Amino acid sequence: DAGITQSPRHKVTETGTPVTLRCHQTENHRYMYWYRQDPGHGLRLIHYSYGVKDTDKGEVSDGYSVSRSKTEDFLLTLESATSSQTSVYFCAISESTGTDTQYFGPGTRLTVL
Amino acid sequence: SQQGEEDPQALSIQEGENATMNCSYKTSINNLQWYRQNSGRGLVHLILIRSNEREKHSGRLRVTLDTSKKSSSLLITASRAADTASYFCAIYGGTASKLTFGTGTRLQVTL
């Protein structure tokens, strides 16, 4: 998976608890993305980063925050998890935005009870 | 929405047959990309076609782009059971300046 790891791979949590997902890359790519994948919706962009400490919102950013303190790590935090955030979360990286290939991690399956 | 829309949503063929899936979109694009996702895995990039290109090939894959009709097609020739996966188109362009994915076509190749 192009030097991208996600942790944890599976997580079950309860409504109202904070959750942090981690994406780690070894490719030194500038851009990193968090998507969620739900049946009938395809992949939807949550947040993305275009450099250390540089982040921006995607189309479904409410309830999520991100941080990128190092090139290789991009964290996604669910500030207070809700059942609607039960999903599979994918991290992706690319050298540039849009005009380039994105490489995806293996995904994290999150269940919020 | 700038999302590409794949058609059909699901496709079942026998090994050796060709599989064609289509993607339509509504905005101008810079490029269109196709990705494959095997069950339980992340997406894998297949082909990128730019707006000034009409056709690209990669092994058994052929992608066409018709910007006048705002549509693209992905043809997989001589399908194999290992081609069983979901296939997504993703467009880059319009006002979003980000890659936007469609909902995918589920391809089932049976022996």
Side-chain angles (χ1 to χ4, degrees):
Chain A
D1 289 318
I4 309 169
T5 57
Q6 292 183 231
S7 59
R9 294 293 312 280
H10 301 272
K11 186 171 182 66
V12 179
T13 191
E14 294 190 347
T15 297
T17 59
V19 176
T20 296
L21 309 183
R22 179 184 184 235
C23 177
H24 179 78
Q25 62 145 330
T26 58
E27 305 297 322
N28 201 35
H29 282 4
R30 178 181 175 190
Y31 290 83
M32 299 186 75
Y33 311 83
W34 277 108
Y35 293 91
R36 60 178 289 174
Q37 185 176 34
D38 305 287
H41 290 279
L43 271 79
R44 293 180 291 175
L45 182 65
I46 305 172
H47 282 280
Y48 69 101
S49 170
Y50 47 97
V52 174
K53 297 191 190 312
D54 293 322
T55 64
D56 203 353
K57 296 178 180 181
E59 69 176 298
V60 289
S61 60
D62 287 348
Y64 302 94
S65 62
V66 290
S67 66
R68 190 169 178 199
S69 59
K70 298 184 291 184
T71 298
E72 57 266 35
D73 289 326
F74 192 32
L75 303 180
L76 176 70
T77 297
L78 288 65
E79 293 138 9
S80 177
T82 68
S83 59
S84 65
Q85 293 175 313
T86 292
S87 187
V88 180
Y89 292 85
F90 288 98
C91 174
I93 65 174
S94 71
E95 291 188 85
S96 71
T97 179
T99 57
D100 210 347
T101 298
Q102 290 192 12
Y103 301 94
F104 283 79
T108 294
R109 183 172 295 276
L110 176 67
T111 302
V112 183
L113 301 175
Chain B
S1 169
Q2 298 180 147
Q3 186 179 35
E5 295 184 6
E6 289 93 340
D7 172 63
Q9 290 186 338
L11 179 61
S12 183
I13 61 173
Q14 290 191 320
E15 200 171 48
E17 295 180 336
N18 295 341
T20 300
M21 50 205 85
N22 304 296
C23 173
S24 60
Y25 56 92
K26 296 180 180 178
T27 66
S28 61
I29 63 170
N30 177 288
N31 69 61
L32 186 147
Q33 304 178 28
W34 285 92
Y35 289 78
R36 183 188 75 232
Q37 183 181 33
N38 291 91
S39 181
R41 306 288 297 273
L43 278 70
V44 175
H45 181 261
L46 297 176
I47 286 185
L48 182 154
I49 187 165
R50 292 183 170 79
S51 60
N52 61 351
E53 298 175 314
R54 292 296 168 258
E55 187 171 311
K56 288 190 81 169
H57 296 256
S58 176
R60 294 183 295 110
L61 306 180
R62 172 181 168 239
V63 168
T64 60
L65 178 64
D66 187 334
T67 53
S68 67
K69 295 181 179 179
K70 291 186 167 54
S71 68
S72 173
S73 66
L74 170 66
L75 168 67
I76 304 174
T77 60
S79 296
R80 306 166 181 169
D83 294 327
T84 293
S86 291
Y87 292 81
F88 295 86
C89 69
I91 62 173
Y92 178 75
T95 58
S97 297
K98 290 181 276 290
L99 203 59
T100 306
F101 288 82
T103 55
T105 293
R106 294 188 308 278
L107 173 65
Q108 177 76 42
V109 182
T110 57
L111 297 172

